[in-house]
Amino acid sequence: MPVCIKIFGQLTEILESNELILSGVADTNALVSELNKNYPALAGAKYIMAVNKQTISANTELNEDSIVALLPPFSGG
Amino acid sequence: MENKISYERYQRQIILSEFGEAGQEKLFHAKVLVVGAGGLGCPVLQYLAAAGVGTIGIVDDDTVALSNLHRQPLYTVLDIGESKAERAAHVLKQMNPEINITAYHQRLTVDNALEIIRSFDIAVDGTDNFSTRYLINDACVLLKKPLVYGAISQFEGQLTIFHPLPNKENRSGVNYRDLFPTPPKEDEVLNCAEAGVLGVLPGIIGTMMANETIKLITGIGEPLINRLLTYNALNNQVYELELAAREATQTLIPANENEFKQMNYEWLCASSPSMMEIDPDAFDDLWRKKAINIIDVREPHELPAIHEFDHLKIPLQQLGKSIPDLNSDTIVVFCQSGNRSKQAATLLSGIFGTDKKIYSLKGGIINWKKQQPVQPT
């Protein structure tokens, strides 16, 4: 079940894209460990995660319609 | 309508039925503080002043530089080296002499933030660094003021309104620490000077911030309360996220104005927050090897009592009131589970700055006790 991941800000440099499709991840913890494996620099990055446009703070189940967003803090003004 | 409001000046917005004379009067009576008169602050200020916001404060300690002009069109080459706050106030007064504008050519700090923000209804954050962003956030939470937040990075921008009161869906208010509980290190996220920024981007995001501020004041439309909007200038994609409050956030915000004044926001950003915590093993190593100051910040009645190492007993509430005489350059604070000691470490680092290394015992004394061999009594 593919999950769509939208990537923002400087995380696009780490993940080399602003959108990824990932299969075989049942929840956000699995998604993060899968991404960290492929993009080790992500493990040290700060970001919030949203599932279907709701920010989350705990592990969240994903299904094939899920859209995950990874959003780092911006400081510029 | 009051005499002070020029019907002619605002005629085009007054004829909007949703806005009307009532909307114009609300703007006239509104007091908005804009922190940062840079890329975001310029358009915010220009449109709020033009729209007729009756009282505007401008906080910025910076001066105009040539490299600002591509995104800060409020200034000219004649302003280079001059105070941004004062130049902005001067230009805006010429544009709209009917409103009150106060320039604060100073950095917002724990010493002046509460006094300055208190006299305004709404704060707008157009700053360019995390330490001031967390400072404004915490001050607005303490003072229960809405905060119109915007930030940019390269080709992307984000904005929201952090509102202290529950909105119509009856959720509790959200603040910046619900998104990012603790600041990143300054070198962890690049700023505009390092990462670059397309000049028009803060113009777009700043204008949207002005729009949200006007909607918030006049009550028209659906202000972006507790919804974070991101905009990508390269592909025009807009993405909106619903923000949610987190229970743990409350513990990170100074509990009262005195605690706020003890905070050291620059220090929080200059060093990684995780560095402040120390594992039980590392802690044991530390106190066995050298003389350090250890402080128990629990209340006197809390158990277990600790006899294994020398320590001071100063409950968290007392800690800020009297500065203990600490002779070591390393301090470890502990409590039951590691939460209060984190607050204590933050408080002490506000007092001692970078003069002393301050740690909080991770997981508290309960966690430390679990790892000790059982002693026959």
Side-chain angles (χ1 to χ4, degrees):
Chain A
M1 46 173 196
V3 169
C4 175
I5 307 162
K6 289 185 176 291
I7 300 139
F8 293 89
Q10 288 169 8
L11 293 181
T12 56
E13 288 167 21
I14 296 175
L15 298 170
E16 298 158 8
S17 171
N18 56 17
E19 200 167 303
L20 286 176
I21 305 287
L22 206 60
S23 302
V25 283
D27 54 35
T28 50
N29 280 358
L31 179 135
V32 169
S33 58
E34 188 65 24
L35 287 177
N36 285 350
K37 202 158 47 176
N38 297 330
Y39 307 93
L42 186 68
K46 217 176 183 102
Y47 57 89
I48 50 167
M49 201 166 6
V51 175
N52 299 332
K53 301 194 171 186
Q54 304 271 343
T55 54
I56 57 159
S57 48
N59 189 24
T60 302
E61 201 178 310
L62 299 172
N63 57 50
E64 55 193 288
D65 301 324
S66 299
I67 297 173
V68 178
L70 308 182
L71 194 88
F74 291 4
S75 75
Chain B
M1 175 164 284
E2 294 181 22
N3 293 334
K4 278 188 177 172
I5 301 177
S6 151
Y7 186 85
E8 191 182 349
R9 175 184 286 269
Y10 306 114
Q11 194 253 357
R12 298 294 197 281
Q13 63 194 26
I14 289 174
I15 59 173
L16 294 167
S17 59
E18 297 85 348
F19 194 89
E21 289 191 19
Q24 196 60 53
E25 279 187 26
K26 284 179 186 164
L27 287 187
F28 182 73
H29 290 111
K31 300 183 178 106
V32 179
L33 181 73
V34 180
V35 187
L40 293 170
C42 282
V44 170
L45 287 165
Q46 285 173 296
Y47 279 100
L48 293 185
V53 169
T55 303
I56 296 176
I58 311 169
V59 184
D60 202 314
D61 69 333
D62 202 6
T63 56
V64 179
L66 184 60
S67 64
N68 297 149
L69 300 187
H70 90 297
R71 67 186 187 287
Q72 301 176 22
L74 200 49
Y75 311 115
T76 74
V77 283
L78 299 176
D79 298 323
I80 290 171
E82 304 285 326
S83 152
K84 285 187 182 179
E86 280 158 20
R87 289 313 298 161
H90 176 79
V91 174
L92 298 173
K93 275 176 189 162
Q94 286 187 320
M95 191 249 278
N96 191 347
E98 296 170 11
I99 59 173
N100 296 312
I101 302 171
T102 307
Y104 300 88
H105 176 54
Q106 51 190 280
R107 194 174 182 83
L108 206 65
T109 66
V110 289
D111 297 317
N112 63 18
L114 297 171
E115 283 64 34
I116 293 175
I117 296 173
R118 201 190 308 276
S119 56
F120 291 87
D121 308 321
I122 298 172
V124 179
D125 178 0
T127 58
D128 63 356
N129 63 85
F130 284 112
S131 54
T132 314
R133 288 188 181 281
Y134 279 85
L135 184 148
I136 297 171
N137 179 73
D138 291 0
C140 286
V141 171
L142 278 178
L143 296 171
K144 297 191 167 60
K145 305 276 185 186
L147 172 62
V148 179
Y149 158 92
I152 50 170
S153 176
Q154 297 183 324
F155 300 103
E156 285 176 67
Q158 51 181 227
L159 72 149
T160 185
I161 303 173
F162 295 118
H163 206 289
L165 301 173
N167 64 3
K168 59 178 181 248
E169 279 99 44
N170 225 4
R171 291 169 310 183
S172 61
V174 174
N175 69 75
Y176 191 58
R177 287 188 189 265
D178 289 310
L179 269 80
F180 298 104
T182 52
K185 286 186 281 180
E186 283 295 356
D187 56 0
E188 207 173 304
V189 178
L190 300 176
N191 63 27
C192 290
E194 297 153 342
V197 63
L198 191 67
V200 69
L201 177 69
I204 294 167
I205 301 297
T207 308
M208 292 174 91
M209 290 164 74
N211 185 39
E212 293 306 318
T213 308
I214 289 167
K215 283 158 63 185
L216 191 61
I217 295 167
T218 56
I220 62 171
E222 294 168 36
L224 204 56
I225 294 173
N226 302 342
R227 288 180 292 141
L228 184 82
L229 184 148
T230 71
Y231 170 79
N232 184 321
L234 291 180
N235 56 23
N236 283 307
Q237 280 190 6
V238 170
Y239 202 74
E240 238 184 81
L241 301 177
E242 290 278 332
L243 306 178
R246 299 183 198 214
E247 244 172 66
T249 300
Q250 201 54 40
T251 60
L252 298 166
I253 291 177
N256 54 48
E257 298 192 5
N258 281 338
E259 261 185 41
F260 176 83
K261 291 189 175 187
Q262 302 296 330
M263 295 283 282
N264 185 335
Y265 287 90
E266 306 214 345
W267 185 87
L268 278 181
C269 295
S271 57
S272 167
S274 60
M275 287 292 288
M276 285 169 55
E277 289 200 289
I278 188 167
D279 291 326
D281 287 345
F283 168 64
D284 284 340
D285 260 9
L286 200 62
W287 69 261
R288 287 193 178 116
K289 274 188 198 149
K290 62 182 248 182
I292 59 169
N293 291 124
I294 304 171
I295 308 173
D296 180 354
V297 297
R298 297 177 299 169
E299 297 298 321
H301 60 266
E302 290 186 73
L303 295 173
I306 298 301
H307 308 290
E308 287 87 340
F309 47 80
D310 289 331
H311 61 279
L312 298 162
K313 292 185 203 307
I314 312 172
L316 179 60
Q317 300 303 326
Q318 307 296 322
L319 195 61
K321 291 174 191 157
S322 61
I323 309 302
D325 186 16
L326 303 169
N327 48 17
S328 164
D329 58 5
T330 303
I331 304 169
V332 179
V333 283
F334 71 88
C335 64
Q336 207 74 335
S337 64
N339 283 326
R340 278 173 292 169
S341 57
K342 264 195 263 181
Q343 290 181 47
T346 305
L347 200 149
L348 289 172
S349 60
I351 297 168
F352 294 112
T354 49
D355 293 345
K356 289 181 191 288
K357 267 222 166 302
I358 296 150
Y359 298 100
S360 160
L361 180 60
K362 195 173 184 177
I365 205 67
I366 301 276
N367 188 41
W368 179 84
K369 269 277 184 194
K370 272 189 210 153
Q371 302 190 17
Q372 301 305 306
V374 178
Q375 302 280 341
T377 46

